[in-house]
Amino acid sequence: MSHHKPHQPPTLTLSRCIHAAHHNLTQPQHGHGDVIAMGGLSMDQAFVQAPEHRPKPTVTEATGIPLVDLSPLTAGGGDDAVAALAAEVGAASRDWGFFVVVGHGVPAETVARAAEAQRAFFALPAERKAAVRRSEAEPLGYYESEHTKNVRDWKEVYDLVPREPPPPAAVADGSELVFQNKWPQDLPGFREALEEYAKSMEELAFKLLELIARSLNLRPERLHGFFQGPNTTFIRLNHYPPCPSPDLALGVGRHKDAGALTILLQDDVGGLDVRRRSDGEWVRVRPVPNSFIINVGDLIQVWSNDRYESAEHRVSVNSARDRFSMPYFFNPTSDTMVEPVEELVSEDWSPRYDAYNWGDFFSTRKNSNFKKLDVENIQIAHFKKTTAVVA
């Protein structure tokens, strides 16, 4: 993991963050405001979740998660088969906000090469990874200080865009975010493997987008236009190292995905938790071989005018095994104005959201993930109309 260089200001690194502790927190030690004492041991406070958000010792495995077999699409199924698939996807998006897909048509070799490239990158020495480190102005590359809801995540990541270079994204303060991939040097096959994987993900993403449109009784390609041209889609490589105190930290804190769809590849270790809507409890999503987990994002929630709801989820960590995952965040062009689609607005179902610019939203959200802020990071709830008519 990362180590400090003498000329850098003191920052928290995973390698020195947590020394095992399973005791109640006491007052911060003198001399280091970021470290708290726990039963005579120390842990950087930046990783510590508030008591109400810490994972329980055991998390129940989720049951009844929708499993959607997409093979009728890849096998050229007829209209009835596609309509049945759309109905399955619609029910899953309404009731769960996510689902698992198999029979998706992504070659196993493509997935294997991408996963191998991911592990090879995170096995590099800290200084090699730091050579492609992201910055606030250049948000692609390696990073080990991601924050979710202003608490630091127990993970290291590498972000890339499938196509480069997309145009810079303007930020509300007049500055620009430059989306240019920082490819590691001397890592044979890394770029090729991930570019091949990205192409397969894009094909799958548009198939899923079409099924969601059909499930809402929209034209199959009704939502496609938001993604045409240089969009803000990106891929993240996640590595969650073993955590000596998994009862206090999370790999990713509770959140909902801001974009349209997330296609998640996870390994066999497990750790993805979703909040069950029936009782608000966190349940574990068991890894299914040769599958992807599909998260409905906030954009689908807004476009559907609250017919579908994005899923709140988090990542728990463990003390024994490394965990790897690879989400593909399918996002629209930065000039997209996000609002309920007009076909889903009526006198009985008025628009639930004010329109907002995706580029501004995305840039603000990326910045809040980069560093701890003094305010809550931006959410679609900030655009929710207060006078919406409930059907």
Side-chain angles (χ1 to χ4, degrees), residues 213-225:
R214 287 178 180 272
S215 74
L216 292 165
N217 294 316
L218 301 172
R219 289 184 294 103
E221 297 184 353
R222 173 65 175 86
L223 304 175
H224 283 36

Side-chain angles (χ1 to χ4, degrees), residues 282-305:
W282 290 102
V283 290
R284 180 68 43 84
V285 180
R286 180 177 59 86
V288 176
N290 305 314
S291 73
F292 295 103
I293 295 170
I294 312 301
N295 284 342
V296 172
D298 286 344
L299 293 183
I300 297 294
Q301 180 170 330
V302 175
W303 284 333
S304 74
N305 206 17

Side-chain angles (χ1 to χ4, degrees), residues 139-159:
L140 298 177
Y142 174 74
Y143 200 51
E144 78 288 20
S145 302
E146 185 93 341
H147 288 73
T148 303
K149 294 190 182 293
N150 288 328
V151 180
R152 188 167 164 192
D153 299 328
W154 184 266
K155 68 178 179 182
E156 56 179 349
V157 308
Y158 175 87
D159 289 348

Side-chain angles (χ1 to χ4, degrees), residues 138-304:
E138 299 177 347
L140 298 177
Y142 174 74
Y143 200 51
E144 78 288 20
S145 302
E146 185 93 341
H147 288 73
T148 303
K149 294 190 182 293
N150 288 328
V151 180
R152 188 167 164 192
D153 299 328
W154 184 266
K155 68 178 179 182
E156 56 179 349
V157 308
Y158 175 87
D159 289 348
L160 68 143
V161 291
R163 295 190 183 94
E164 65 168 331
V171 187
D173 64 5
S175 61
E176 290 184 335
L177 294 178
V178 179
F179 291 92
Q180 188 167 2
N181 288 328
K182 296 182 177 182
W183 297 108
Q185 299 298 311
D186 302 323
L187 198 59
F190 179 82
R191 178 173 181 169
E192 293 78 9
L194 291 172
E195 288 180 339
E196 177 189 6
Y197 182 78
K199 290 178 182 177
S200 291
M201 288 298 98
E202 182 177 67
E203 292 176 8
L204 178 57
F206 275 111
K207 290 176 184 175
L208 293 166
L209 193 68
E210 178 177 322
L211 289 174
I212 286 175
R214 287 178 180 272
S215 74
L216 292 165
N217 294 316
L218 301 172
R219 289 184 294 103
E221 297 184 353
R222 173 65 175 86
L223 304 175
H224 283 36
F226 297 123
F227 300 84
Q228 303 295 346
N231 58 47
T232 55
T233 294
F234 71 102
I235 295 177
R236 167 162 292 174
L237 314 185
N238 286 318
H239 172 219
Y240 304 96
C243 177
S245 194
D247 56 336
L248 297 176
L250 287 168
V252 183
R254 73 200 191 284
H255 68 287
K256 296 185 173 187
D257 291 346
L261 293 172
T262 303
I263 305 175
L264 176 70
L265 172 68
Q266 65 167 342
D267 63 13
D268 62 351
V269 174
L272 175 65
D273 300 334
V274 65
R275 192 187 292 277
R276 190 165 52 197
R277 292 192 182 148
S278 60
D279 58 8
E281 286 295 309
W282 290 102
V283 290
R284 180 68 43 84
V285 180
R286 180 177 59 86
V288 176
N290 305 314
S291 73
F292 295 103
I293 295 170
I294 312 301
N295 284 342
V296 172
D298 286 344
L299 293 183
I300 297 294
Q301 180 170 330
V302 175
W303 284 333
S304 74

